[in-house]
Amino acid sequence: MKLSILDLAFIAAGSNAGEALKGTLDLARHGEKWGYERFWLAEHHNMVGIASAATAVAIGYVAGGTSTIRVGAGGIMLPNHSPLVIAEQFGTLESLYPGRIDLGLGRAPGSDGHTTRALRRSPAAAENFPQDVMELQALFGPVQEGQKVQAVPGTGLNVPLWILGSSLFGARLAAMLGLPYAFASHFAPAALMDALALYRREFRPSAQLQQPYAMAGVNVFAAATDREAQRLFSSVQKQFANLVRGVPGQLAPPIDDIDSYWSPMEKAQVSSMLACSFVGNPERVGDELQQFVEQTGVDEVMVVSAIHDHDARLESYRLIAPGSG
């Protein structure tokens, strides 16, 4: 089973962005040692609990502090940017850390309407996502005769692109372009099986990829006992309940009784969003992850562990690591 790590540089309550990013690098270094395939960071804006907004900068920090693990974006929200700027940013990263950089691309803005306007973008920019992806591909390709604009660095580097999504739109685009596909089942699992089936059915080979390659995101909270793992899980349950309430915040400490925190309606909504979560002792989590891979047929699993305490987060990743036996 191929396992990778998705990190949003969660800012724990009582901490700050600097400490969160230091924790991100520490996790990446441990993940490299434990045999994880890749380490991705995600673009989010105007969120007080996430420190990965300047995603390319954070990727450079992690790549510069590690040696072999692939590092990348899971993802860059392309409607927030011009393809040229992203080609230059990731061309720079690929030039500094050759053969180690991934570029996952999402169509969602990763922010609210006010933030979209602050980014000087239009909500309609998402409609150009397929064209922007192809423009980005061209910027990473060889120079064409008569081409007046190049990404420097970027041209000819062929940085691997991924399409991210939580609906059939991304699956269809990834299949059409012959790109690997990553599904955001760690927070929006409803269309997972339909999207994977569509992607495999409509996939067209490309210069980058000859066969379909799919990855799915899952939440993992592993600890020595099921009870402790459930307690760790309560932090992200509280975080999602707060999102439902419209009051996002920093990653809160865990509690013993999550049912004392949320209403039945909030519990149902959050539980649906977090359906792809594996919580318990290492044996239980390992078995459930294996069943998930068998059911979905995914080639790789991207693990998200939003755990308030950094040491407990490291331990969760260690307990399920590819090299753990």
Side-chain angles (χ1 to χ4, degrees), residues 21 24-26 28-29 32 39-41 55-73 90 92-102:
L21 290 164
T24 287
L25 177 56
D26 189 51
R29 286 171 169 165
E32 181 174 78
F39 189 98
W40 281 4
L41 289 136
T55 315
V57 178
I59 289 169
Y61 174 61
V62 170
T66 53
S67 301
T68 57
I69 194 169
R70 295 195 67 88
V71 186
F90 281 79
T92 300
L93 289 167
E94 177 65 22
S95 298
L96 291 169
Y97 312 105
R100 294 180 56 209
I101 301 299
D102 297 326

Side-chain angles (χ1 to χ4, degrees), residues 67-154:
S67 301
T68 57
I69 194 169
R70 295 195 67 88
V71 186
I76 290 293
M77 302 300 107
L78 196 52
N80 293 339
H81 313 275
S82 77
L84 176 61
V85 168
I86 297 304
E88 291 169 341
Q89 289 178 358
F90 281 79
T92 300
L93 289 167
E94 177 65 22
S95 298
L96 291 169
Y97 312 105
R100 294 180 56 209
I101 301 299
D102 297 326
L103 176 49
L105 301 167
R107 183 172 63 120
S111 60
D112 54 66
H114 296 291
T115 309
T116 298
R117 288 190 291 273
L119 290 166
R120 303 296 191 268
R121 308 299 287 179
S122 164
E127 298 175 7
N128 298 322
F129 182 65
Q131 292 79 12
D132 286 348
V133 173
M134 290 186 283
E135 183 178 338
L136 190 53
Q137 281 185 306
L139 287 166
F140 283 132
V143 177
Q144 302 298 311
E145 184 177 353
Q147 181 175 335
K148 297 185 181 301
V149 177
Q150 297 183 40
V152 183

Side-chain angles (χ1 to χ4, degrees), residues 183-269:
F183 191 91
S185 36
H186 57 294
F187 71 88
L192 172 63
M193 299 305 292
D194 288 342
L196 291 175
L198 186 152
Y199 170 64
R200 292 171 180 137
R201 182 174 64 249
E202 298 189 5
F203 181 84
R204 303 176 187 173
S206 69
Q208 180 177 328
L209 192 66
Q210 291 299 300
Q211 299 290 333
Y213 191 96
M215 177 163 60
V218 302
N219 302 288
V220 169
F221 297 82
T225 67
D226 289 349
R227 182 175 180 179
E228 176 58 18
Q230 286 290 343
R231 183 174 178 276
L232 297 175
F233 186 34
S234 68
S235 288
V236 77
Q237 290 174 312
K238 289 170 66 177
Q239 186 181 50
F240 273 69
N242 290 340
L243 288 173
V244 170
R245 295 171 185 175
V247 287
Q250 296 179 331
L251 186 63
I255 56 177
D256 291 323
D257 181 16
I258 186 62
D259 285 331
S260 67
Y261 187 80
W262 55 19
S263 69
M265 183 183 69
E266 290 168 344
K267 178 179 181 178
Q269 189 168 350

